[in-house]
Amino acid sequence: MHRIRFFARSLLPIAVLAATQSLLAAPAAEGAVRAEPAKAATGAQLLAQAAPDECFAGVGQPYPSGPPCGTGTPKVNQSYVWGLTRSDDRIWFGTGANVQCLTLGTSLAQTQPTQNDDYVCEYGSSQLAKQLGGFPAQLGDWRPPKVYLYDTSAGQLTDKTGDITGRSSTDGQRLETTVGMRAAGSNNGVVLLGGPGLIGINLFAFDSESGRYLGSTTIPEYGNIRHFVVADGALYAGVGIGPQGDAGGAVLRFTGRTANPFAYTVVGALPSQVADLVVHQDRIYVTTWPSAGGTTTWTAAGVWASPPLADGRPGLNRDDTTGWRQVWNVNQYEPDPVVASTYGLGALASYGDYLYWGTMHVPLQATAAMVRKYKPANDQQGALAVKNTQRTASIFRAGGLDGGSPSVELLYGESALPVYDAKAGTWALASTSYQPKYGASGFGNTYNNYTWSMVVAGGSLYVGTMDWGEISQYTPPAAIPGLRAALGTPDKSTFGADLWAFDSPDGAAKAVDTTGIGNYLNYGIRNMVTDGSAVYLGMANPMNLRTNTSDDVPEGGWQLIRLQTATGVTAQTDDTD
């Protein structure tokens, strides 16, 4: 879920964060275009990937100049294609740096520096944290994001970050106080990219035709933004309200053009932040995250439907704000209330007559919530908490949504899950009230923890996951016994994100690739967009120490991959990511 909580707003003024750039080594040219095909699914081609941008000489040590690195080893900080959108033959995307470290620090409260063969998280020992007094240790591995444009006709990648920093000091400061470019969307000649910042969310706009940078803004009321969708010619985004994004949710309709790209209207009010959006049968449907997982005041993650787009004036408007209705929530599946409080819902898609969606589970977050509430008395009870709180991504679909009584099916999931009896101090299986139609959760891989992306292309529904098998090797030793008891020992041959495809609403999904699309260090398919003949995959790969091109281990950092689909088939037309 990556519910990143950025640094305390009152502690770090903009001037301090703007100064961070001077403390970090000057970034190297990044994202060289790769022409060779990825060794993965048939038709997959690696278009571009992150290059090393820093030199690492040991935890807590100053960063040597480079790359190239005269001393130390190359390190690649930019890890996620975090926001992705398509405009004609151009793919726009923004990155996030060291997101794995940020997630471990913020979601699981890990601040002890760690280094292994794949990645390093310095936390409070980083040069950033050491030289900026008051900087939170859990965010010591943060670096400013980057923005790129990939021209699919020319096969050319252009770094657009300098367009932002070169415009004005205000634009540069906004970029340098942004966690990452977590969302991207395009419509009416405007490309918008943005993410959580120092105060609210920061948005950056480009002219989609000329590539010209249009400016930036901050919307202080909101703390998170993840996705956009185009519906009936209008651009919508889902956001989280409040400094952390967990004080409720909203849906925004952006009405701006190139002359005023940031104009918007609030058209949806929800009890928790919006994760993803899609158009289905003349409505916008959204998934949400819990408002405050693990507490007594949380609001369960759910699926919500807008009023019909055709009602009143075209599209959604201010009058539709309170007209949204919930059609499903995780309490209808997960029998343990504490575990349910940590569920997020992820990608969703309209395919055939059905709405599809899936669940998201930050590794060990449910365990942390259970420990906070019940405080296991000994190591044995702690191991049982680890074992019984782990969950794997489940896939659902619903038909008959306009009829008032939707028919919800579990496609991949479990018929029973462990529930804790606090009075007896024991665990027992309880029914989920569903029978999986096609198979177990995670498409049978217990380390598939996120349903991270979906897109319809070439007549098929593609589903991209996060697979944390590779990083589970570095789980704190105390959690290992319970973890392996719950999920089993990970099969190294299946490390890497999964891509599955439903070729028809009438059948099970088939595996397109289960090893990270040619790079098993790609632990997630964070975003997908399509142009009708191909799907473009934005990968998540936080293995920042994997930069040796002469060994037999693939490289770390984000990748942009093109996957050929059936040529000439009309694909989903919404510019959704």
Side-chain angles (χ1 to χ4, degrees):
M1 225 178 317
H2 289 341
R3 289 165 49 214
I4 299 297
R5 285 170 166 77
F6 205 32
F7 32 80
R9 274 73 177 173
S10 60
L11 294 179
L12 297 173
I14 288 178
V16 174
L17 266 295
T20 60
Q21 283 295 78
S22 64
L23 301 178
L24 305 175
E30 186 185 341
V33 175
R34 302 293 183 90
E36 72 274 14
K39 295 178 181 178
T42 302
Q45 181 184 15
L46 178 61
L47 301 178
Q49 70 177 38
D53 54 3
E54 197 169 87
C55 297
F56 175 71
V59 172
Q61 299 301 309
Y63 308 133
S65 60
C69 302
T71 58
T73 59
K75 180 179 176 227
V76 55
N77 289 299
Q78 300 296 331
S79 58
Y80 281 26
V81 173
W82 223 2
L84 178 72
T85 189
R86 180 183 66 85
S87 179
D88 297 324
D89 57 358
R90 294 178 171 187
I91 306 295
W92 292 81
F93 62 97
T95 69
N98 296 324
V99 182
Q100 165 74 359
C101 299
L102 301 185
T103 301
L104 292 174
T106 56
S107 291
L108 299 178
Q110 294 188 26
T111 57
Q112 181 67 32
T114 181
Q115 181 179 349
N116 52 60
D117 290 340
D118 284 341
Y119 64 86
V120 60
C121 296
E122 295 187 89
Y123 299 119
S125 295
S126 73
Q127 296 304 296
L128 188 67
K130 289 167 69 173
Q131 297 184 43
L132 290 177
F135 198 90
Q138 63 266 33
L139 295 164
D141 297 278
W142 167 81
R143 304 291 188 271
K146 309 272 282 183
V147 173
Y148 292 96
L149 164 63
Y150 185 85
D151 189 317
T152 61
S153 296
Q156 181 177 357
L157 183 75
T158 302
D159 186 341
K160 303 293 287 184
T161 314
D163 293 21
I164 299 173
T165 57
R167 167 64 70 86
S168 71
S169 60
T170 299
D171 290 278
Q173 286 175 355
R174 270 204 187 96
L175 181 71
E176 291 161 11
T177 56
T178 300
V179 175
M181 296 296 184
R182 203 171 193 175
S186 55
N187 191 47
N188 288 333
V190 174
V191 173
L192 292 178
L193 303 102
L198 182 67
I199 299 174
I201 57 174
N202 293 332
L203 296 177
F204 304 84
F206 291 83
D207 185 310
S208 62
E209 184 174 347
S210 68
R212 178 172 57 92
Y213 177 58
L214 300 175
S216 65
T217 194
T218 297
I219 306 179
E221 304 97 298
Y222 308 119
N224 203 5
I225 182 170
R226 293 187 74 247
H227 285 288
F228 290 84
V229 69
V230 175
D232 285 352
L235 182 67
Y236 299 86
V239 296
I241 298 172
Q244 315 301 336
D246 60 1
V251 177
L252 313 181
R253 176 176 177 172
F254 282 87
T255 57
R257 304 275 178 158
T258 54
N260 181 23
F262 304 113
Y264 71 90
T265 302
V266 178
V267 297
L270 300 169
S272 53
Q273 66 175 297
V274 176
D276 209 342
L277 314 86
V278 77
V279 181
H280 177 68
Q281 296 177 344
D282 195 42
R283 298 177 189 266
I284 293 177
Y285 285 81
V286 305
T287 51
T288 65
W289 286 350
S291 59
T295 75
T296 58
T297 58
W298 67 281
T299 299
V303 180
W304 291 76
S306 76
L309 293 168
D311 282 1
R313 292 172 291 171
L316 301 180
N317 297 279
R318 195 180 305 276
D319 294 343
D320 297 307
T321 303
T322 60
W324 293 67
R325 60 182 175 86
Q326 188 178 83
V327 299
W328 188 87
N329 71 66
V330 300
N331 290 321
Q332 295 170 244
Y333 173 68
E334 172 56 58
D336 188 282
V338 175
V339 176
S341 74
T342 66
Y343 270 59
L345 293 183
L348 74 171
S350 175
Y351 186 52
D353 293 327
Y354 298 97
L355 179 72
Y356 289 69
W357 70 88
T359 64
M360 300 177 70
H361 310 273
V362 174
L364 297 175
Q365 190 176 57
T367 304
M370 185 66 65
V371 169
R372 285 194 301 270
K373 185 172 180 64
Y374 295 114
K375 299 176 177 59
N378 52 51
D379 290 345
Q380 182 181 12
Q381 288 185 8
L384 286 173
V386 175
K387 173 185 176 181
N388 289 291
T389 55
Q390 302 313 303
R391 298 294 186 261
T392 302
S394 299
I395 307 294
F396 296 83
R397 75 177 182 188
L401 288 167
D402 273 344
S405 299
S407 174
V408 178
E409 298 176 282
L410 175 64
L411 303 184
Y412 291 89
E414 310 300 326
S415 59
L417 289 167
V419 172
Y420 185 63
D421 183 331
K423 291 183 179 180
T426 59
W427 294 86
L429 288 174
S431 173
T432 65
S433 301
Y434 289 93
Q435 290 293 327
K437 186 178 180 69
Y438 297 129
S441 53
F443 296 104
N445 177 357
T446 55
Y447 286 88
N448 271 331
N449 60 308
Y450 285 4
T451 310
W452 225 350
S453 53
M454 291 186 183
V455 72
V456 177
S460 298
L461 168 60
Y462 291 88
V463 181
T465 76
M466 175 183 170
D467 177 343
W468 71 292
E470 170 75 14
I471 61 173
S472 75
Q473 301 174 99
Y474 311 116
T475 300
I480 289 292
L483 185 65
R484 297 296 182 246
L487 303 180
T489 301
D491 180 356
K492 292 186 177 183
S493 69
T494 65
F495 283 175
D498 286 16
L499 182 64
W500 290 74
F502 292 91
D503 289 335
S504 164
D506 300 323
K510 67 177 183 182
V512 178
D513 186 280
T514 59
T515 58
I517 322 293
N519 181 341
Y520 66 82
L521 299 181
N522 286 334
Y523 73 2
I525 303 173
R526 176 61 179 84
N527 283 295
M528 293 191 287
V529 296
T530 181
D531 63 6
S533 63
V535 175
Y536 295 87
L537 312 175
M539 310 301 289
N541 181 337
M543 314 308 177
N544 55 28
L545 294 182
R546 290 297 191 182
T547 58
N548 186 350
T549 59
S550 63
D551 62 16
D552 60 356
V553 179
E555 282 65 67
W558 61 260
Q559 291 187 329
L560 180 67
I561 295 172
R562 183 181 189 271
L563 179 69
Q564 186 70 37
T565 63
T567 303
V569 178
T570 301
Q572 179 173 310
T573 57
D574 296 326
D575 232 344
T576 176
D577 57 302

